[in-house]
Amino acid sequence: MNITNQLGQLHSKHSPSKVFLIFGIFASMLFIGIAIFIYFGAILPVLEGTMHFSGDITVLYWCILFLVVVGFGILALALFRNKGKTFYLYDLGIVTVDQGQQTSLLYENMQDVYLFTSGKSIIANNIAFRSGNTSQWGAISAKYNNVSKAIDTITGQHTELYASKMIQELKNGKSVTFHYIDYTTAIGRWIFSMGTNDFLKVTPKSIQLTTESIIVDSKKTAIKDLSHFSDNNWTNEIKLLTHSNEIVLRTSRNGIFSSDSFTVVMDFLINQK
């Protein structure tokens, strides 16, 4: 594939893990092998008269059919799970290859970076990204190889490039927008989602920032009135509070999209500015 040098050095490549595919192939071969053994080791000798079977031989045929169906079913599931886009992570952006089609997205143009947790993991093991709330998500899920490296690379590069861009826009007198999902929505997705697509079916709300104010759910608060973030590990909840402990923003720890960049920008507004 032709990759221009404009994106810098390649950090890593991520595609669906082959572990489940290998397991599926092995399991399907095992079931089909047992079916073949039953035919040649039991049914054929009975038909040739070299072995006696007192029951209904039809049961053995049904057993073979069941084993073959299960074997091919496991193989089909493994092949389906192994389908997915391939992501190449570079210094400045991500190249996505999907069925031969190649697209790229620069970190500085990546408005939403969404971390979420699936399965039994207690830390984020999925990451999704997009250029804006009307564009399509790209997602590296837990089924991908070395997903933790992908999360570290994307969040690190995005924070370095996107946060700097947002701070410069604020310095130029512009407003910047981040997105988030409220606490109830975030927890509901964590409990009830059955897969990556369920996590991504969210309608985020906006956080609008200027050098003087923050607007959350149409409520405007002066930057000078902001105090600190409050983090509750037991409920996975984070709050942004004023000096009088009034709640400005409440969501889950990963409920704020591009949360690392948001933290850097808020640090600039509250402390460094």
Side-chain angles (χ1 to χ4, degrees):
M1 66 186 277
N2 295 320
I3 298 295
T4 65
N5 294 327
Q6 296 176 354
L7 294 180
Q9 181 182 354
L10 175 65
H11 285 257
S12 56
K13 171 187 173 182
H14 302 271
S15 55
S17 174
K18 304 295 183 183
V19 174
F20 189 81
L21 176 62
I22 295 172
F23 168 79
I25 293 174
F26 174 79
S28 63
M29 291 176 61
L30 178 63
F31 277 94
I32 295 173
I34 295 173
I36 294 174
F37 175 79
I38 292 175
Y39 178 78
F40 286 100
I43 293 179
L44 195 59
V46 170
L47 295 177
E48 293 175 347
T50 59
M51 179 183 292
H52 176 69
F53 184 74
S54 59
D56 185 357
I57 198 172
T58 305
V59 175
L60 296 180
Y61 282 108
W62 281 109
C63 184
I64 288 177
L65 178 62
F66 173 76
L67 292 170
V68 170
V69 170
V70 171
F72 279 107
I74 293 174
L75 180 59
L77 178 61
L79 291 171
F80 175 78
R81 279 183 56 88
N82 197 58
K83 287 184 176 181
K85 303 174 182 178
T86 299
F87 300 93
Y88 296 83
L89 309 187
Y90 288 84
D91 284 331
L92 302 180
I94 300 175
V95 172
T96 303
V97 178
D98 182 18
Q99 297 180 353
Q101 298 297 316
Q102 178 179 308
T103 58
S104 61
L105 177 60
L106 296 176
Y107 292 120
E108 66 175 17
N109 297 330
M110 194 181 293
Q111 186 177 32
D112 293 336
V113 175
Y114 177 23
L115 295 171
F116 53 95
T117 304
S118 63
K120 297 180 180 180
S121 177
I122 59 175
I123 60 174
N125 58 352
N126 300 260
I127 186 168
F129 48 87
R130 61 183 181 180
S131 58
N133 59 0
T134 59
S135 57
Q136 186 178 8
W137 288 105
I140 302 179
S141 67
K143 76 175 184 178
Y144 277 72
N145 64 301
N146 208 359
V147 67
S148 60
K149 179 175 176 59
I151 292 174
D152 290 342
T153 300
I154 294 172
T155 54
Q157 297 300 109
H158 181 262
T159 302
E160 179 180 349
L161 298 170
Y162 187 73
S164 298
K165 179 182 177 180
M166 294 299 98
I167 289 175
Q168 187 59 51
E169 291 194 4
L170 288 168
K171 289 180 178 179
N172 292 338
K174 299 179 181 179
S175 65
V176 300
T177 301
F178 286 86
H179 295 116
Y180 81 103
I181 51 178
D182 58 41
Y183 183 71
T184 302
T185 300
I187 295 300
R189 284 291 181 273
W190 179 61
I191 295 174
F192 298 110
S193 292
M194 301 299 293
T196 302
N197 290 334
D198 287 340
F199 277 99
L200 300 181
K201 291 177 182 177
V202 293
T203 302
K205 301 179 180 181
S206 64
I207 305 169
Q208 188 174 357
L209 296 171
T210 68
T211 54
E212 303 299 331
S213 65
I214 177 173
I215 301 176
V216 180
D217 296 338
S218 300
K219 183 179 179 180
K220 188 175 183 180
T221 304
I223 295 296
K224 63 182 177 60
D225 292 334
L226 298 179
S227 175
H228 65 285
F229 282 99
S230 173
D231 194 2
N232 189 321
N233 291 328
W234 291 103
T235 60
N236 194 34
E237 180 186 48
I238 189 170
K239 298 177 184 177
L240 177 61
L241 303 173
T242 64
H243 292 292
S244 58
N245 286 328
E246 180 183 358
I247 298 175
V248 177
L249 174 66
R250 175 177 179 262
T251 185
S252 72
R253 189 173 289 108
N254 292 324
I256 303 174
F257 297 168
S258 305
S259 57
D260 288 347
S261 295
F262 177 74
T263 302
V264 172
V265 172
M266 291 304 299
D267 178 61
F268 162 75
L269 290 175
I270 297 174
N271 300 316
Q272 299 177 29
K273 175 177 176 298

